[in-house]
Amino acid sequence: MVRRPVAWIVALVLFAEALGVLAVNWFLGVVVDRQDMSLAGLDPDMMSVSSKIGGVVFGLYFALCGLVSLLVALRDRAPAGLGRVLLISAAVVHALLGAFAWGLIGWTAFLFMVVVLALIVLLLMTYDRRPEKPDEPAGPVDSGTPPPLSPPAAPTAP
């Protein structure tokens, strides 16, 4: 089966991405703080703090999505409820980031985002179907109505 390895890979990639996003935004916050320059009249301290907060928030978001994928890999069950919503939203975020990366960064960043998007979608799609149980009969489902009665048999003579 391909389901569990894909869930493990998605978990590892999302945890690494969480650390990467956190580190890059924290570094940008430190750079803005040391530059001590304003951008269009904005307070440099506020830009530094908001960059760090944004990094922490998005890092936790990707880490939470990685945790959902890790639980899927450990349990070998489809994500349900909030976990499924988180993984779907992570797929949408990666699609949007891929579109922005194509125009702003280049095709390599776009390729990375598309690969992560494909892995998340593969994770969601492989757990979509319920496995068939071989011991269940393939006949019609009982609707709860009794079968039609047959006419009584004729009595036999002794």
Side-chain angles (χ1 to χ4, degrees):
M1 284 295 223
V2 88
R3 297 186 315 182
R4 286 186 106 171
V6 167
W8 282 106
I9 291 170
V10 169
L12 289 175
V13 167
L14 287 175
F15 284 136
E17 193 172 5
L19 287 175
V21 166
L22 177 66
V24 166
N25 278 349
W26 198 271
F27 175 72
L28 289 175
V30 169
V31 167
V32 167
D33 194 29
R34 290 189 181 164
Q35 289 271 325
D36 203 26
M37 297 172 21
S38 71
L39 176 68
L42 295 174
D43 183 26
D45 292 329
M46 188 59 116
M47 290 190 326
S48 171
V49 169
S50 65
S51 176
K52 291 175 182 177
I53 290 173
V56 168
V57 167
F58 276 107
L60 287 175
Y61 167 71
F62 286 133
L64 186 61
C65 293
L67 180 66
V68 169
S69 179
L70 182 66
L71 290 175
V72 167
L74 290 174
R75 295 177 181 166
D76 199 21
R77 287 192 333 211
L82 182 63
R84 188 167 183 84
V85 170
L86 278 172
L87 288 176
I88 290 170
S89 68
V92 171
V93 165
H94 281 86
L96 291 173
L97 286 176
F100 288 128
W102 178 268
L104 296 176
I105 300 171
W107 66 271
T108 54
F110 170 76
L111 185 63
F112 174 75
M113 291 298 161
V114 169
V115 167
V116 176
L117 168 68
L119 284 171
I120 294 172
V121 169
L122 184 63
L123 170 69
L124 289 168
M125 295 303 290
T126 55
Y127 279 99
D128 196 28
R129 285 190 297 167
R130 294 183 183 163
E132 297 177 10
K133 296 180 182 174
D135 39 284
E136 288 184 7
V141 177
D142 185 21
S143 62
T145 58
L149 296 175
S150 58
T156 59

